[in-house]
Amino acid sequence: MLKNKITMQSDEESVATCLKISNLRVPSSFIVNREIGEGNAFILGCDYDVDEADAKGFVLKWKHNDLPIYQWIPTRNPIVFSSFKGHIDSNYSESDDRLHKHSALKVVNPMANYTGNYTCQVQTFHGLDTKTAHLQLIVPETDFSLGYQRETNGSTLVFCNVGEIYPLPDVSLLIDAQKVTDVVVNEQIQDYTGYYNVTVQHILPDQNKDMVIECEVTIPATDYKLQTSMPYLGAAFRADAAMLQVFVCTVTTAVLARVLSMF
């Protein structure tokens, strides 16, 4: 009796392991092209091992944040659910194998809200396996600018602007390669797109000093990075201010002398 019991347990284990996802191919991030076109697409791949003899009842499903977006049964055409309707190429195929033909998804012209967790689920009458991975959609900026301006009170304001980007980025100002911590950050989100506009500002403590100003933009948990830099010539600013002061004094003196000569 003990021998039979052990044999039955071994058979159950072999059935349970005959269906297994070996690799889930989900990019960690994808940069969305603002122009609609064939090149604006990413692939979700689900590689799995399944025995033909144990494939009865096979069904493959893809989910986005636990909501079904795609289902395929080998004897039927793929089904795309409403949230991804028009954004999944149901004719896409990576294999001619009967049990793998439509396992991968080609997502075309994705939207920013397609960011999230993607789950592949494969199931037969004998087993079930799932794997999940996260994908971050990135909508690149339409504006990235760095500059400075002299304020009416005589101080110098350094600013960096990043416009219409998704998701919310980290924006940093650096002076001579050192990150500035004393900054004012203004974040705005567009109601109709969900894109972000971010401005970071800093008042120079020593505006007469020559320095290199930099702005760095990153998106957490991705490789997305923007950098730009420019020189700030404090000595030139000081010289220009001195020349302007001399010019104003000269003009004022000349005007005053002319006025006095009239009396």
Side-chain angles (χ1 to χ4, degrees):
M1 292 293 292
L2 180 60
K3 183 177 180 180
N4 290 338
K5 185 176 181 180
I6 293 175
T7 302
M8 289 176 62
Q9 183 178 2
S10 177
D11 290 343
E12 289 174 358
E13 288 177 354
S14 66
V15 170
T17 57
C18 69
L19 179 64
K20 184 175 180 61
I21 297 175
S22 57
N23 185 34
L24 189 64
R25 292 178 283 119
V26 175
S28 59
S29 62
F30 179 79
I31 300 175
V32 175
N33 189 337
R34 290 177 179 270
E35 300 296 328
I36 295 177
E38 285 296 321
N40 195 20
F42 61 84
I43 304 299
L44 303 176
C46 187
D47 303 329
Y48 48 86
D49 302 316
V50 56
D51 295 332
E52 183 73 36
D54 298 311
K56 192 172 182 179
F58 179 87
V59 58
L60 175 141
K61 298 178 182 179
W62 278 95
K63 298 178 182 180
H64 175 239
N65 295 333
D66 294 328
L67 296 177
I69 61 172
Y70 179 88
Q71 177 176 296
W72 173 58
I73 298 173
T75 56
R76 302 177 185 177
N77 292 326
I79 298 173
V80 179
F81 292 92
S82 58
S83 58
F84 276 66
K85 205 84 170 179
H87 292 275
I88 291 179
D89 182 358
S90 58
N91 294 318
Y92 180 76
S93 175
E94 291 184 343
S95 171
D96 291 329
D97 183 82
R98 187 182 78 86
L99 296 174
H100 295 83
K101 186 173 183 178
H102 292 296
S103 60
L105 301 188
K106 182 179 181 181
V107 182
V108 297
N109 299 319
M111 298 184 290
N113 62 1
Y114 284 3
T115 290
N117 293 324
Y118 285 85
T119 300
C120 176
Q121 175 183 304
V122 288
Q123 184 175 3
T124 67
F125 290 155
H126 301 291
L128 169 71
D129 198 15
T130 64
K131 278 190 181 298
T132 300
H134 185 79
L135 168 62
Q136 176 65 63
L137 273 293
I138 298 172
V139 180
E141 70 292 336
T142 58
D143 172 54
F144 179 39
S145 56
L146 172 67
Y148 57 85
Q149 63 188 34
R150 184 63 64 91
E151 300 291 274
T152 55
N153 62 3
S155 63
T156 300
L157 180 72
V158 178
F159 60 87
C160 181
N161 298 322
V162 185
E164 294 190 324
I165 191 171
Y166 179 88
L168 180 66
D170 290 335
V171 183
S172 301
L173 281 173
L174 298 90
I175 294 179
D176 292 335
Q178 297 296 315
K179 184 176 179 179
V180 179
T181 57
D182 182 18
V183 296
V184 176
V185 181
N186 181 28
E187 300 172 353
Q188 296 179 337
I189 184 170
Q190 296 179 350
D191 293 335
Y192 56 96
T193 64
Y195 300 162
Y196 291 90
N197 298 316
V198 182
T199 299
V200 176
Q201 299 177 336
H202 171 68
I203 296 177
L204 293 179
D206 183 1
Q207 59 186 356
N208 296 321
K209 176 185 174 183
D210 291 350
M211 63 191 77
V212 176
I213 303 169
E214 299 176 74
C215 184
E216 183 177 282
V217 177
T218 58
I219 293 179
T222 74
D223 295 329
Y224 193 81
K225 187 174 184 178
L226 302 171
Q227 281 182 304
T228 188
S229 63
M230 65 183 301
Y232 172 83
L233 304 178
F237 255 36
R238 186 170 64 251
D240 290 344
M243 289 179 63
L244 178 61
Q245 186 176 9
V246 170
F247 175 75
V248 170
C249 289
T250 302
V251 171
T252 302
T253 302
V255 171
L256 181 60
R258 185 174 180 181
V259 170
L260 291 175
S261 66
M262 297 174 63
F263 293 94

